[in-house]
Amino acid sequence: MPEHQPRASIQEPYGFLSYGRNPESPESHEPPDELLVRFHGKLSRHLRQLTDLRAGIDAVYLDQRIPVGTGWKVELKDRLARCQVLVPVLSKRLFASKWCALEWECFERRQQLQRDRGTFTRNAIVPVLWAPLRPDEIPPPYADVQYVHQDFKSDYGRYGLLGLYSHGRHQTANGIAFQLAQEIADVAVSSRLEPCDPGLFDDLFDSMDGSAGEGPDA
């Protein structure tokens, strides 16, 4: 099968969008802002056009709910156990988020299972440069994954998607969203990250129970 064609067996959400919430309230329970939701929509539409994803399955998971009670934890574990590619939205708010760090660690555990089986091929992580950031402002482990590609517009590395949208550079931003969708589809095929038991993450979630007032990505 050509590398650019998705495996027919990939029917989980292709991407898990990991983002730092904008804390407009003390509880940090605000939904993602309008520009991020718009980007998510474009990324999802592109992936539906590029892949054979069946109707009714999210192309990219984005948690937009107010995280109250235990239901969101069950859903979050399930998506982290099944999504093919982690898509961290790089910003200072992401770097400060304990929940975003947890999401990264969950994907690392899944990848370690692949390493233990001898089937690991590549990182199933495609970062998105959201805010304008200097390389020295991006901490590990996020700095360890390539986030600007040679065939992307140079202004993407200078402004990030947030800067492009904010400066009215919608055509450039939308083109990069398409390229990111291509990258996510390619990584999903080549990494072959298998789903896991959501219970693999129980201890990580248990360790967050003391984070009073924080929901996922707070």
Side-chain angles (χ1 to χ4, degrees), residues 86-90 104 125-129 142 145-147 149 156 180:
L86 180 66
V87 186
V89 180
L90 302 184
W104 181 286
I125 298 172
V126 177
V128 173
L129 184 63
Y142 303 102
V145 181
Q146 180 67 30
Y147 62 90
H149 300 276
Y156 173 62
L180 287 166

Side-chain angles (χ1 to χ4, degrees), residues 3-218:
E3 185 176 350
H4 67 279
Q5 292 293 329
R7 301 195 331 268
S9 61
I10 295 181
Q11 290 296 332
E12 294 84 14
Y14 271 79
F16 182 103
L17 210 62
S18 177
Y19 70 98
R21 289 179 184 262
N22 188 11
E24 298 293 339
S25 68
E27 295 82 11
S28 303
H29 287 171
E30 291 297 316
D33 64 37
E34 179 184 352
L35 290 177
L36 185 60
V37 171
R38 185 187 305 172
F39 165 68
H40 168 259
K42 289 189 177 296
L43 192 65
S44 297
R45 285 192 292 274
H46 291 323
L47 274 166
R48 288 196 175 280
Q49 293 172 333
L50 290 168
T51 67
D52 62 350
L53 192 66
R54 291 194 300 266
I57 300 177
D58 291 335
V60 181
Y61 175 71
L62 173 65
D63 179 20
Q64 301 187 54
R65 300 177 308 154
I66 295 176
V68 176
T70 59
W72 61 262
K73 286 188 178 181
V74 174
E75 179 178 321
L76 197 63
K77 286 182 189 179
D78 181 68
R79 296 300 189 275
L80 287 166
R82 294 193 299 109
C83 286
Q84 295 291 317
V85 179
L86 180 66
V87 186
V89 180
L90 302 184
S91 69
K92 291 184 179 180
R93 205 168 297 285
L94 175 105
F95 305 148
S97 168
K98 296 177 181 178
W99 282 95
C100 291
L102 175 144
E103 290 161 3
W104 181 286
E105 180 59 28
C106 288
F107 262 76
E108 262 304 301
R109 286 196 177 185
R110 287 177 63 189
Q111 294 192 133
Q112 187 58 49
L113 288 178
Q114 302 286 89
R115 295 185 185 99
D116 294 343
R117 294 170 185 155
T119 57
F120 181 81
T121 57
R122 65 180 296 184
N123 276 329
I125 298 172
V126 177
V128 173
L129 184 63
W130 185 249
L133 295 165
R134 300 189 309 271
D136 64 313
E137 292 180 302
I138 302 176
Y142 303 102
D144 299 333
V145 181
Q146 180 67 30
Y147 62 90
V148 176
H149 300 276
Q150 187 174 4
D151 55 345
F152 283 21
K153 295 285 188 180
S154 60
D155 282 348
Y156 173 62
R158 181 179 180 186
Y159 297 114
L161 280 175
L162 176 63
L164 291 173
Y165 280 127
S166 299
H167 283 87
R169 303 281 299 281
H170 298 285
Q171 184 174 355
T172 299
N174 292 340
I176 290 169
F178 180 79
Q179 289 175 292
L180 287 166
Q182 288 181 302
E183 180 72 8
I184 291 168
D186 288 344
V187 168
V189 172
S190 57
S191 66
R192 297 180 175 270
L193 186 62
E194 297 295 333
C196 72
D197 182 347
L200 182 67
F201 312 139
D202 283 349
D203 63 315
L204 294 174
F205 277 75
D206 290 344
S207 71
M208 297 299 290
D209 285 343
S211 300
E214 289 192 3
D217 305 313

